[in-house]
Amino acid sequence: MLRALDRSKYEVVPIGITKSGKWVLEADNADRLAIQNGVFPEVDSANPAVLFTADPSAKDLVVQSNVPEVLQQVDVAFPVLHGPWGEDGTIQGLLELAGIPYVGSGVFASAAAMDKAHLKAMMQSAGLPVGPFEVVTNAQWTSQREASLTRIATLGFPVFVKPSRAGSSVGITKVKSQADLVAAIEFARQHDPKVIVEASIENAREIECGVLDSATGPKASVCAEIIVREGHEFYDFEAKYVDDSVELSVPAKLDPALHEKLRALAIEAFLAMAGEGLARVDMFVTGTDVVINEINTMPGFTPISMYPRMWAETGLDYPALVDALVQDALRRGVGLR
Ligand SMILES: Nc1ncnc2c1ncn2[C@@H]1O[C@H](COP(=O)(O)OP(=O)(O)O)[C@@H](O)[C@H]1O
Ligand SMILES: [Mg+2]
């Protein structure tokens, strides 16, 4: 993204967030911040710490030192972040308080889409298709474990056991028999005390669609298909980021009528969750049947990621897509809308 932003149009101030949550100024060096040979870069925790003031009339980015120094005013933020505190409405809330427009969904849609259980409930209430699932909260697992296991058993096997609020496939297990269920729930709980268990949609095609907001409403990209090759039971973390075990088919080879149906469904889903900016709607397709698996409000955005590739195939290349997102954020602004 650093590489793609048009420097004749934008002055870019990269901010890194360390693993402990400290915000630091980063060097504007796209190469250093790229994933290289499977190695993930880390931000420079020794760099000067920065913060946004919660004064919406200032929009100041302040360098913290003994004597705080106002670096500059910020027009718009691009939260290039995954997961809790990045994609779940919390940083969006911070930016709302600071009065700084930002790319992507607002507080509500970010929080709702981050939680797979809430997202499914929202889709259901809009009459959109989702697969069978059961939720096990921390309280239920602690005090009603047997009843929880009985509920889950109604789904049959195999099931997918997931942290309700994670991503990148972390903490997810495909469970084929009762004997492995408790261990899978405990594993998911290492990432989130709230767990969702879903009936496995067997032999389904995994189809994704990109949604991009605009002044005239959301638009859908062409769809793409994830084809997981040998050695991976599903689209797991290694398959997503590290090895070469998936084939991304862009555009997906779909019957044109089905393709249009999926694109329309992606837009309906985006509207149903009050999405803004962008989202990637992930679906499972069996024949002509479709269920929505999940919606990512800040989908993977490396040059080889699905979201930018789907838009490139639709006629919007990576720099144009990044520009459209920044302009969309500036158009929307902050506050109730
Ligand atoms: N109910 C399901 N049926 C079949 N496959 C599933 C199901 N849920 C998840 N998967 C597989 O696991 C992967 C990760 O699950 P997902 O819900 O997308 O979690 P994440 O938010 O971590 O991406 C999916 O891309 C798919 O390959
Ligand atoms: Mg996913």
Side-chain angles (χ1 to χ4, degrees), residues 116 160 162 166-170 172 198-202 206 208 226 228 234-236 240 280 282 284 293-294 296:
K116 294 187 197 306
F160 275 82
K162 311 176 181 180
S168 301
S169 297
V170 300
I172 296 184
E198 300 175 10
S200 176
I201 314 292
E202 291 287 283
E206 226 174 316
E208 307 193 333
I226 293 153
V228 182
F234 60 94
Y235 194 24
D236 59 16
K240 282 179 178 174
R280 200 191 66 226
D282 298 352
F284 294 128
N293 170 37
E294 62 157 349
N296 291 283

Side-chain angles (χ1 to χ4, degrees), residues 100-233:
I100 297 172
Y102 49 94
V103 172
S105 280
V107 173
F108 173 76
S110 299
M114 188 73 217
D115 188 322
K116 294 187 197 306
H118 282 303
L119 190 272
K120 283 192 165 63
M122 251 190 318
M123 295 299 114
Q124 284 177 321
S125 76
L128 303 180
V130 298
F133 68 100
E134 291 289 339
V135 177
V136 184
T137 63
N138 188 43
Q140 287 168 331
W141 190 241
T142 312
S143 61
Q144 302 158 34
R145 184 171 303 202
E146 283 313 312
S148 304
L149 291 169
T150 306
R151 271 194 296 122
I152 293 167
T154 64
L155 297 170
F157 286 95
V159 289
F160 275 82
V161 178
K162 311 176 181 180
S164 200
R165 297 159 293 191
S168 301
S169 297
V170 300
I172 296 184
T173 315
K174 182 174 183 179
V175 177
K176 293 177 179 162
S177 71
Q178 185 79 31
D180 300 326
L181 190 57
V182 171
I185 292 173
E186 294 292 5
F187 179 58
R189 282 170 51 81
Q190 289 174 16
H191 300 277
D192 188 348
K194 181 177 179 183
V195 170
I196 184 167
V197 183
E198 300 175 10
S200 176
I201 314 292
E202 291 287 283
N203 304 314
R205 296 174 72 183
E206 226 174 316
I207 306 286
E208 307 193 333
C209 184
V211 177
L212 175 63
D213 219 350
S214 77
T216 54
K219 307 273 186 289
S221 72
V222 297
C223 295
E225 179 168 14
I226 293 153
I227 301 163
V228 182
R229 293 203 202 105
E230 310 271 292
H232 290 267
E233 185 91 51

Side-chain angles (χ1 to χ4, degrees), residues 13-16 23-27 44 46-50 61 63 71-72:
V13 186
I15 298 171
W23 291 30
V24 293
L25 282 180
E26 265 300 328
D44 299 299
N47 283 4
V50 290
L61 182 64
V63 178
L71 188 68
Q72 56 194 288

Side-chain angles (χ1 to χ4, degrees), residues 1-2 4-5 10-17 23 52 74-82 86 91-92 95 100-105 212 277-278 297-301 307-308 318-330 332:
M1 222 169 258
L2 281 179
L5 283 160
Y10 302 115
E11 189 185 339
V12 182
V13 186
I15 298 171
I17 304 179
W23 291 30
F52 285 124
V74 173
D75 299 307
V76 60
F78 201 141
V80 191
L81 298 164
H82 285 321
I91 199 164
Q92 288 75 14
L95 292 165
I100 297 172
Y102 49 94
V103 172
S105 280
L212 175 63
L278 75 165
T297 51
M298 195 49 77
F301 223 118
Y307 187 82
Y318 194 106
L321 177 62
V322 170
D323 191 55
L325 286 165
V326 172
Q327 290 302 318
D328 176 69
L330 285 167
R332 195 164 42 246

